[in-house]
Amino acid sequence: MFISFDEWINQRKITSWGTNFGTSQIAFQGWRHFKEAYVPELIERAINESRIPVTSCLDPFGGSGTTALACQFLGVHPSTIEVNPYLADLIEAKLSTYNIHSLVDDFGFVIKTSYEDIPNVEEYINYLPPTFVEPGINNRWIFNLGVANRIYAIISAIKKINNPINARLFKVLLGGILVEVSNTVVNGKGRRY
Ligand SMILES: C[S@@+](CC[C@H](N)C(=O)[O-])C[C@H]1O[C@@H](n2cnc3c(N)ncnc32)[C@H](O)[C@@H]1O
């Protein structure tokens, strides 16, 4: 299914060109809210007002991928650099095209396999920093053991999928919920636990 740039932004009319005005209401920010995300209309305006025809666009600081995604919707070829590997995967996952039947099949496979093929905790726990999983150090840890085991079982199941595009999307979606299932608190100073 193809949707236009206007459909993507929900035909909204912005009242400010502030760089992150209202982006939290656009569907793609629901995947993983990114505070610094740009207003897609800013990209549209830059492309439309350029004196030379824009056919490709390089964004060296990709973030949540607004520039690349807006460009793709506007028929401009995007190239993006992002130093954070999670965000780099998030951008690629947003730019990818999916076959819905294959996605549903692979999702079912991940859920089923993650409950049937329970990996051995010892496989991963010794390789992690000691505060990652309870008992942690001085009662401080990021994930309790049950949650850590489920995460590892899901990651192991995702690794068994043959379709790398689907696998990347599932990895990104899992990454998007990790803060909520951890002891981590996000505040103005960063992340604490
Ligand atoms: C403010 S965000 C960009 C937001 C983006 N325009 C959007 O709409 O989502 C800046 C991004 O640049 C990335 N970054 C910072 N230094 C970098 C570097 N040296 N190379 C690549 N990416 C870098 C950061 O990880 C961050 O995600």
Side-chain angles (χ1 to χ4, degrees):
M1 184 178 70
F2 175 79
I3 66 165
S4 66
F5 179 84
D6 286 336
E7 285 170 310
W8 172 51
I9 57 167
N10 233 349
Q11 265 121 15
R12 68 183 193 153
K13 298 281 171 257
I14 57 167
T15 54
S16 157
W17 289 97
T19 55
N20 62 358
F21 177 81
T23 40
S24 55
Q25 283 122 44
I26 303 181
F28 82 111
Q29 282 296 326
W31 286 35
R32 174 85 178 70
H33 178 60
F34 190 70
K35 200 167 142 221
E36 301 87 357
Y38 277 1
V39 167
E41 290 89 337
L42 203 57
I43 317 302
E44 184 192 32
R45 187 172 165 186
I47 290 171
N48 288 342
E49 291 184 7
S50 165
R51 290 190 196 170
I52 50 167
V54 181
T55 54
S56 60
C57 170
L58 172 67
D59 180 0
F61 303 104
S64 63
T66 315
T67 305
L69 203 55
C71 283
Q72 188 166 280
F73 274 114
L74 294 164
V76 171
H77 179 75
S79 301
T80 306
I81 301 167
E82 172 51 56
V83 72
N84 177 324
Y86 171 73
L87 292 175
D89 272 349
L90 178 75
I91 296 169
E92 284 212 66
K94 286 177 178 177
L95 295 174
S96 298
T97 302
Y98 298 91
N99 174 308
I100 191 70
H101 300 295
S102 142
L103 200 58
V104 169
D105 283 352
D106 279 347
F107 186 67
F109 172 86
V110 169
I111 299 299
K112 193 164 173 280
T113 308
S114 72
Y115 281 107
E116 288 176 358
D117 261 349
I118 311 286
N120 183 354
V121 179
E122 307 293 321
E123 268 179 32
Y124 73 93
I125 223 151
N126 294 333
Y127 296 99
L128 293 173
T131 52
F132 244 61
V133 180
E134 69 173 309
I137 295 179
N138 297 332
N139 251 349
R140 291 179 72 227
W141 68 83
I142 297 177
F143 298 105
N144 76 35
L145 191 57
V147 170
N149 284 342
R150 280 298 300 141
I151 294 169
Y152 189 61
I154 294 169
I155 291 172
S156 304
I158 292 173
K159 282 187 181 159
K160 292 180 183 147
I161 292 179
N162 291 326
N163 182 327
I165 296 174
N166 292 353
R168 184 173 51 220
L169 174 65
F170 297 147
K171 211 166 68 167
V172 166
L173 295 176
L174 178 64
I177 61 160
L178 290 184
V179 170
E180 280 97 306
V181 298
S182 74
N183 284 329
T184 313
V185 177
V186 181
N187 62 22
K189 293 187 181 137
R191 287 161 166 67
R192 290 159 181 267
Y193 65 96

